[in-house]
Amino acid sequence: MARIIPGRMTHRYDGELVVFHIGMQINRWWRPDLWLPAFFAMPRMLKELSLDPESGFLGYELLFGGGGPYVVQYWSSVEKLYAYASAPSQEHRPAWTRFNRVARKAPGAVGVWHETFLVERAESVYVSTKPMGLPQATELVPVGRRQDRAAARFAEGQTRHGDPVAS
């Protein structure tokens, strides 16, 4: 079990920052044959990404919402996120193909969704928590005297964006 970090902490990160939410909505809980394959595919993808420092994957948080599980992922670039999603030799593409095949057999039984955010600024504070979220994916640092208020952390929280067209 991860230890609690006492005190007030924030994150530090210099570079392009992408936050990606992806989840599934289980509409027919009584049909695990339709949603379990997608449910079990995500841990394989997260493991694959976590073991590949060149992937651009920075970290994740696994959460459960009203409709089912979802993952908040942190990436170093939109291009690397999309490269992973479309690579036929990695876990995502075959899992997506399998999901589509199953989804056609029972439309509406399970849904998937995602949202992608290119972050211009980010502010965070964590008080006496276990490592989690943005600082777990980037760098965890103590809140400094100049960063005592959220507005000050936000003002200093600008991320650096590369040219979105360049690779």
Side-chain angles (χ1 to χ4, degrees), residues 80-153:
K80 289 186 176 190
L81 167 63
Y82 292 162
Y84 176 74
S86 62
S89 62
Q90 296 191 282
E91 290 285 338
H92 175 266
R93 194 74 196 151
W96 181 242
T97 300
R98 285 189 304 273
F99 171 79
N100 282 318
R101 195 175 319 118
V102 170
R104 278 192 289 276
K105 292 178 185 176
V110 61
V112 296
W113 59 273
H114 77 257
E115 303 170 342
T116 307
F117 306 93
L118 182 59
V119 179
E120 182 179 317
R121 289 185 187 275
E123 179 276 325
S124 66
V125 68
Y126 300 82
V127 181
S128 299
T129 67
K130 297 174 183 174
M132 59 183 283
L134 190 52
Q136 185 176 4
T138 59
E139 181 182 3
L140 181 68
V141 296
V143 171
R145 288 178 59 142
R146 292 185 10 216
Q147 301 171 318
D148 191 44
R149 300 209 176 263
R153 289 188 302 276

Side-chain angles (χ1 to χ4, degrees), residues 47-67:
K47 181 178 181 182
E48 176 180 63
L49 287 162
S50 296
L51 295 173
D52 182 5
E54 300 301 313
S55 68
F57 183 70
L58 300 173
Y60 69 95
E61 286 292 326
L62 178 60
L63 305 163
F64 287 90

Side-chain angles (χ1 to χ4, degrees), residues 68-90:
Y70 69 99
V71 183
V72 177
Q73 298 179 1
Y74 303 96
W75 289 79
S76 66
S77 79
V78 172
E79 290 77 18
K80 289 186 176 190
L81 167 63
Y82 292 162
Y84 176 74
S86 62
S89 62
Q90 296 191 282

